[in-house]
Amino acid sequence: MIRQRKRHNSIYFLCKNCKKYFSVNIIWFPKKQILKDHLSGLSFKDLGDKYSVSKSKAYRICKEELRKLPDNNKITFKYCNRFSSLFEFDAKYINVKGYERKIAFLWGVDYERHDFPIILLARSESYESWAKFFELFRIINHYPRLIICDDNSPLKIAARYKFPEVKIQTCYNHFKEGIRRVLKVRSDDTYKNFSREIDQLLSVKRSTQDFNNFLFKIYEYHKNDPVKLQIIVNLEKRKNEFLAFQGYRRAPVTTNMIEGFNSHLEQRLKHINSFNSFEHAKLWLNAYVLKRRCTKLTDCKSRFRFLNGKIPLHMTKKVDVDLPTFF
């Protein structure tokens, strides 16, 4: 090959055999740091300004680095086995080009360790999707004992099928919000007082006896109204879902933790109108979760303050196992 000329940050060469030109970039880029900055919120334009490259170059660097990262679920299978028995599960919907409706990103957080062992991108939040998601938990040989989730039937059915012994705690906040929507309390005052009584019932953790007594008082006062009676009967039938926390120390009755992580992801996706393809969305979300698992916790409060400064992936990895560097 013969060196021809230098242009900007590239040197152009001529191949003697094929008589074609090619270029070699002589500037080194901190590619992993560029990807980390992108996952932290910087747009490709901002990355270009920061590292003196075009936004298309920044995009290519990020795409290249995304493909190099290992699969999050395989990392869990290979390196981790120390999970708690409490998990919160939820789905986050995202835009992907070529799909009329948003597609579902299924994930769950270890309540005690703030780690995300399993993730799955699915076309819908169906029973089949959740069954596939929970099957991955069986592959890593971990069986949650208590699941906290919103009032999602496909999720609950799939969880009970895959984990016959699991207890499921329905999120109080989601259930109360569902009742408010059914009764239309924000636009109609007819059932507002009744809705407040249900809110009070599900405002704190109660013993079985206390729950029964409170619910019976509501029944005695509202039993002649068929709309109210239907809700009361539903509460009685599903009582075990509202009292599943019993027997688990510090178990939550809301999905506030996973909802908080959903908010973080929503904030990060604010500047991404949609992903170009299903595969690109899968790669990006895999990198986003892996980065979260490898980043020190800083904003834990109250009972979780002791987690600040710790890395979630380090708290769930196998004993005496050295983790590779991903970023």
Side-chain angles (χ1 to χ4, degrees):
M1 62 181 180
I2 304 173
R3 175 169 173 169
Q4 296 294 303
R5 63 186 182 279
K6 181 177 182 298
R7 183 180 180 186
H8 300 304
N9 297 324
S10 297
I11 299 177
Y12 282 74
F13 294 88
L14 173 65
C15 178
K16 293 181 179 180
N17 295 326
C18 65
K19 305 301 181 182
K20 291 185 178 180
Y21 291 92
F22 64 94
S23 63
V24 176
N25 195 311
I26 61 175
I27 300 299
W28 177 81
F29 295 104
K31 295 183 178 180
K32 289 187 180 295
Q33 186 59 47
I34 291 175
L35 177 60
K36 286 177 67 176
D37 288 347
H38 172 58
L39 294 173
S40 297
L42 286 184
S43 66
F44 295 123
K45 183 179 183 302
D46 292 335
L47 287 172
D49 293 340
K50 180 176 180 179
Y51 294 99
S52 301
V53 297
S54 66
K55 65 178 182 180
S56 59
K57 176 68 174 178
Y59 169 77
R60 290 195 297 271
I61 289 174
C62 290
K63 189 174 182 179
E64 177 187 343
E65 292 301 308
L66 286 175
R67 295 185 183 279
K68 291 180 181 178
L69 289 174
D71 180 78
N72 178 79
N73 300 345
K74 291 181 179 179
I75 291 297
T76 300
F77 175 76
K78 186 175 182 179
Y79 295 105
C80 304
N81 66 355
R82 295 185 297 134
F83 303 106
S84 75
S85 58
L86 309 182
F87 271 83
E88 292 187 10
F89 294 109
D90 201 5
K92 178 74 179 124
Y93 284 85
I94 62 173
N95 288 313
V96 177
K97 289 182 179 178
Y99 293 84
E100 293 183 4
R101 298 182 178 180
K102 292 183 177 181
I103 61 177
F105 175 58
L106 314 183
W107 62 339
V109 59
D110 184 321
Y111 183 74
E112 297 290 346
R113 294 175 173 83
H114 293 24
D115 194 23
F116 304 89
I118 297 296
I119 60 174
L120 180 68
L121 190 61
R123 297 195 177 189
S124 65
E125 196 178 357
S126 62
Y127 165 80
E128 290 77 12
S129 298
W130 280 113
K132 182 179 180 181
F133 177 84
F134 289 125
E135 185 65 31
L136 294 172
F137 268 83
R138 293 168 64 93
I139 291 173
I140 67 173
N141 198 30
H142 182 71
Y143 303 85
R145 294 170 57 193
L146 178 65
I147 288 174
I148 305 94
C149 62
D150 57 17
D151 205 8
N152 185 320
S153 296
L155 188 161
K156 294 177 181 179
I157 295 171
R160 290 192 176 104
Y161 177 73
K162 296 297 181 180
F163 311 124
E165 303 298 323
V166 75
K167 290 186 176 181
I168 298 179
Q169 173 71 49
T170 296
C171 173
Y172 283 4
N173 291 341
H174 281 86
F175 186 80
K176 290 186 290 187
E177 183 58 31
I179 289 178
R180 295 186 195 110
R181 285 198 300 268
V182 170
L183 299 178
K184 301 178 181 177
V185 297
R186 290 186 173 86
S187 58
D188 188 346
D189 293 340
T190 306
Y191 296 106
K192 185 165 289 188
N193 290 334
F194 173 71
S195 177
R196 286 173 180 166
E197 291 182 35
I198 299 300
D199 286 354
Q200 189 175 356
L201 170 67
L202 300 177
S203 61
V204 295
K205 293 181 179 179
R206 298 183 184 273
S207 65
T208 302
Q209 187 62 43
D210 187 24
F211 187 92
N212 290 338
N213 291 341
F214 202 111
L215 186 60
F216 183 74
K217 290 179 181 179
I218 297 175
Y219 165 76
E220 283 289 300
Y221 192 77
H222 300 284
K223 60 184 178 181
N224 294 324
D225 187 317
V227 175
K228 298 176 182 178
L229 184 60
Q230 184 177 4
I231 293 173
I232 294 170
V233 170
N234 187 33
L235 279 163
E236 175 59 30
K237 285 182 178 179
R238 299 171 56 189
K239 181 168 56 179
N240 290 338
E241 290 186 15
F242 300 111
L243 301 175
F245 66 86
Q246 295 178 355
Y248 296 92
R249 186 168 177 264
R250 303 198 308 177
V253 291
T254 67
T255 55
N256 287 349
M257 182 178 290
I258 191 69
E259 291 292 344
F261 288 117
N262 275 339
S263 297
H264 295 165
L265 179 55
E266 176 70 27
Q267 187 69 23
R268 178 59 194 91
L269 293 173
K270 183 184 296 184
H271 301 295
I272 301 178
N273 294 328
S274 67
F275 291 100
N276 290 329
S277 65
F278 186 94
E279 184 62 26
H280 185 215
K282 186 176 179 180
L283 288 172
W284 192 94
L285 290 165
N286 178 74
Y288 174 82
V289 172
L290 200 55
K291 180 178 179 295
R292 287 209 71 109
R293 299 182 74 184
C294 297
T295 302
K296 290 182 180 181
L297 298 167
T298 57
D299 298 325
C300 299
K301 300 177 181 179
S302 187
R303 70 177 67 171
F304 296 113
R305 282 180 296 180
F306 73 97
L307 293 177
N308 287 322
K310 297 182 180 179
I311 298 173
L313 192 55
H314 288 183
M315 291 187 287
T316 59
K317 75 178 184 68
K318 299 173 183 177
V319 179
D320 299 327
V321 168
D322 294 327
L323 290 170
T325 301
F326 303 116
F327 293 95

